[in-house]
Amino acid sequence: SSLAIDPKERDANAFAAELLMPEQEILDAVRQDGLDITDDAAMKRAAKRFGVSVQALGFRLANLGVSIDGSQDA
């Protein structure tokens, strides 16, 4: 389910996210490109780069603590 209540489902989602959007590559893209999640064109380009949907990229950024303007939360 999209809610990922089942621990196995959460683990599978986390594995898939790391496989498709490795943390270091995502954070490098945020630092280098200054990715702003409110910029639709930038999000589409980044999602295409990683071969994922814009929604999946948004979830990944949020789970990594990246704020709306592309900075990383402490």
Side-chain angles (χ1 to χ4, degrees):
S1 98
S2 63
L3 298 176
I5 296 169
D6 180 354
K8 289 181 183 179
E9 183 77 16
R10 280 195 306 264
D11 290 346
N13 289 344
F15 176 81
E18 182 61 27
L19 179 68
L20 297 171
M21 300 171 279
E23 180 176 359
Q24 195 57 55
E25 289 184 39
I26 291 287
L27 296 178
D28 288 346
V30 167
R31 276 192 287 278
Q32 292 169 5
D33 303 335
L35 184 60
D36 178 344
I37 67 170
T38 64
D39 181 341
D40 291 337
M43 286 293 286
K44 286 178 184 177
R45 282 191 305 274
K48 184 176 181 179
R49 173 181 169 189
F50 290 100
V52 298
S53 68
V54 171
Q55 182 181 23
L57 178 61
F59 282 127
R60 183 67 166 148
L61 291 168
N63 287 332
L64 293 175
V66 176
S67 68
I68 289 174
D69 66 358
S71 62
Q72 189 175 9
D73 297 338

